[in-house]
Amino acid sequence: MKPDPQHRRLLDNWHDELNSAAMYDALAAAERDPGRKDIFAQLAQAERRHAEVWRRRLEGAGLTPRPHRQDFRTRLMRRLIHWFGPAFVISSIAAAEYADRNKYAGQPDAAALSSEERGHAAVIQAVADGGPAIAGTEPWHRGLASGNDLRAAVLGVNDGLVSNFCLVMGVAGASASPSSVLLTGCAGLIAGALSMALGEWLSVTNARELASSQLGKEAAEIEQTPEAERHELALIYRAKGLPKDEAERIAGTLMADKDTALDAMAREELGIDPKELGGRPWRAAGLSLALFSLGALMPILPFALLDGMAALIGSAVLSALALFAVGAVTSLFNGRSALFSALRQTVIAGLAAAITYGVGHVLGASLSG
């Protein structure tokens, strides 16, 4: 017999807390920095305490929950943490925690847990805001877009997949030969990947040049008007909630050394990590090229292996599977279920490809006629 809504709510809460605990355990296991490792471990312990609260309430209602099985999102997130490290997913986790910070607001029996959940969201957001420091220990993803490596990677693959899928379907709709479709798809892959790489290189290069210029001006101001800079830094700390005396003491200590002062002003006033200056242009370009190419490769692979209608069907099927997988991964940072995200991605991109196929068919028929 299915549980009534009240029992379903208790079960959902229990599962949610255990999923969160498993995710924080994975973060703690992968984190190299002792301070952040301890933060993640404490968050995991707190989530297990919350789960225990719901387990006792389930048993009080006469229900014995089955052994917990982690959901898709948790299993995928743990694998990504294991493969790429905490920095790769930390912004997505912070966004999800922020979205769920008031999940107990409408549950009167969870008032004590609600404030703790809001506190967890604030803590993990603070860790995510320290993203440059985290990413600095993991060189693999320094080149991706700052703040959310997972989102950047997924969007890079998605751009290549959708654009080349539509291109290939449009050319195939014009009744082109498989070799012509393959050639067009390869050209689309190369052109798109190079365009994406160049755009990323320009973006990061411009960001670095702007950051360097701002740092130079800040260094000159520290040299010429140190007292004004000390006062400005103190105001920043006061705006963050520190008492006046404490803010002025910290600002004075930092301003005693020019290098430390520049580092503090860069981070607090300019929002710049002096060690990264917005990323590394060639690394960013290379990763962008690789991610776009990975996605763009899916629609053209069948045309390299098959002929005729089999190649067309193979391209559509392989692209649909890739779209489904990409959509499922987007659920990690859009707050939707994996199935909903996967189906939405597949349907929308499939419609776009069908439209381009139809347009190609019409144009091909009119030109040949």
Side-chain angles (χ1 to χ4, degrees), residues 91-254:
S91 292
S92 298
I93 293 174
E97 286 288 353
Y98 182 82
D100 287 345
R101 70 194 187 283
N102 293 319
K103 66 180 179 181
Y104 290 142
Q107 302 184 37
D109 58 350
L113 302 183
S114 184
S115 61
E116 287 193 35
E117 289 294 334
R118 289 194 297 271
H120 293 177
V123 169
I124 201 66
Q125 185 60 58
V127 175
D129 288 342
I134 297 174
T137 65
E138 297 169 19
W140 185 88
H141 30 54
R142 285 176 185 163
L144 288 171
S146 61
N148 201 331
D149 298 331
L150 174 59
R151 186 188 298 270
V154 171
L155 294 180
V157 173
N158 185 66
D159 285 344
L161 174 58
V162 174
S163 62
N164 224 31
F165 183 33
C166 291
L167 175 63
V168 164
M169 289 297 107
V171 176
S175 299
S177 65
S179 59
S180 297
V181 176
L182 178 60
L183 178 61
T184 303
C186 289
L189 184 156
I190 295 170
L194 291 176
S195 175
M196 292 289 291
L198 177 59
E200 191 70 15
W201 184 88
L202 287 173
S203 175
V204 176
T205 297
N206 288 334
R208 286 181 65 87
E209 290 173 349
L210 176 60
S212 296
S213 174
Q214 291 177 319
L215 280 177
K217 293 177 181 179
E218 197 64 44
E221 290 174 359
I222 292 172
E223 185 71 34
Q224 297 165 9
T225 57
E227 188 58 28
E229 293 299 294
R230 184 200 63 78
H231 180 66
E232 185 177 350
L233 188 58
L235 287 178
I236 291 173
Y237 289 134
R238 289 180 64 185
K240 290 187 173 184
L242 288 179
K244 180 179 178 180
D245 292 344
E246 182 71 7
E248 291 182 349
R249 183 189 66 79
I250 294 174
T253 301
L254 293 173

Side-chain angles (χ1 to χ4, degrees), residues 270-290:
L270 304 177
I272 295 173
D273 177 6
K275 296 179 181 178
E276 288 295 318
L277 293 180
R280 301 182 181 184
W282 288 109
R283 186 189 296 269
L287 285 171
S288 181
L289 186 148

Side-chain angles (χ1 to χ4, degrees), residues 52-72:
E52 182 62 18
V53 169
W54 296 116
R55 188 190 64 79
R56 289 198 299 268
R57 291 181 183 176
L58 280 166
E59 291 179 348
L63 292 177
T64 301
R66 296 177 180 177
H68 171 69
R69 184 175 183 272
Q70 294 170 13
D71 61 13
F72 169 82

Side-chain angles (χ1 to χ4, degrees), residues 174 359-369:
V359 172
H361 181 72
V362 171
L363 290 177
S366 63
L367 290 175
S368 63

Side-chain angles (χ1 to χ4, degrees), residues 19-32 40 73-93 124 138 141 150 332:
N19 283 329
S20 295
M23 186 175 61
Y24 285 125
D25 280 334
L27 285 170
E31 180 57 57
R32 299 177 184 177
F40 294 142
R73 180 180 183 277
T74 303
R75 295 196 304 272
L76 178 56
M77 192 70 80
R78 291 186 65 193
R79 287 188 178 276
L80 291 173
I81 293 168
H82 177 71
W83 290 337
F84 304 121
F88 189 69
V89 299
I90 193 65
S91 292
S92 298
I93 293 174
I124 201 66
E138 297 169 19
H141 30 54
L150 174 59
L332 298 179

